Amino acid sequence: RLSRGNLWFPTQVAVTPASVVHFTPQFFGGREQSMHLAHVASVLIDRNLFFADVMIESSGGDSPVRCHGHRKADAVEMKRLIEAFQSDYYRTRGAPPPPPPRGDVRA
C-alpha cells in the first residue's frame, strides 16, 4: 500500500474472538502488539481520500494500537468484528457453565 509506514512492510491486523493483534514487519524481525477484547475501550476509524487509519484504544488508557493505510472496507470490517466479538464475550461471560453431558449410566 502506498500509505504512511506501509510502503515496504505493510501492517497486518488479526481480529480473533479473544484479542486484536497488530503486527508490523521490519527489515529484521517485526513489532507485535496485542490487546484482549475485554480491554478494548473504543475503535476510531479516520477515513482519508484513499485509505483509512484505525486506532484502537484500551480501557487502561495505555498506548493505543494505531494501524495506518487500510482499505476503507477493511477498516469498517475490523470495527464490526471487534464489536461483534465483544458482544459475544460479554454475553457469555456471566452465564453459568452448561451442565456436563449425560452419558450412558447404568446402576
Side-chain angles (χ1 to χ4, degrees):
R1 293 173 263 189
L2 298 174
S3 65
R4 178 177 31 148
N6 286 322
L7 185 58
W8 300 108
F9 303 108
T11 186
Q12 302 166 15
V13 178
V15 179
T16 68
S19 64
V20 178
V21 181
H22 175 237
F23 180 73
T24 304
Q26 297 172 346
F27 193 69
F28 293 107
R31 181 173 179 237
E32 184 174 312
Q33 184 178 6
S34 65
M35 182 185 306
H36 193 275
L37 281 177
H39 299 289
V40 174
S42 67
V43 179
L44 172 83
I45 299 175
D46 183 19
R47 293 179 177 100
N48 300 318
L49 184 60
F50 297 108
F51 299 105
D53 299 336
V54 178
M55 187 170 69
I56 304 167
E57 294 181 340
S58 69
S59 58
D62 204 15
S63 61
V65 176
R66 292 189 172 123
C67 316
H68 302 285
H70 294 283
R71 291 185 338 194
K72 294 177 186 180
D74 291 340
V76 171
E77 181 66 10
M78 273 193 282
K79 182 177 179 179
R80 187 193 69 76
L81 282 172
I82 290 170
E83 291 172 349
F85 287 147
Q86 274 187 323
S87 294
D88 290 343
Y89 174 79
Y90 285 113
R91 185 177 310 124
T92 60
R93 183 174 165 212
R102 299 187 78 151
D104 188 57
V105 179
R106 296 181 187 175

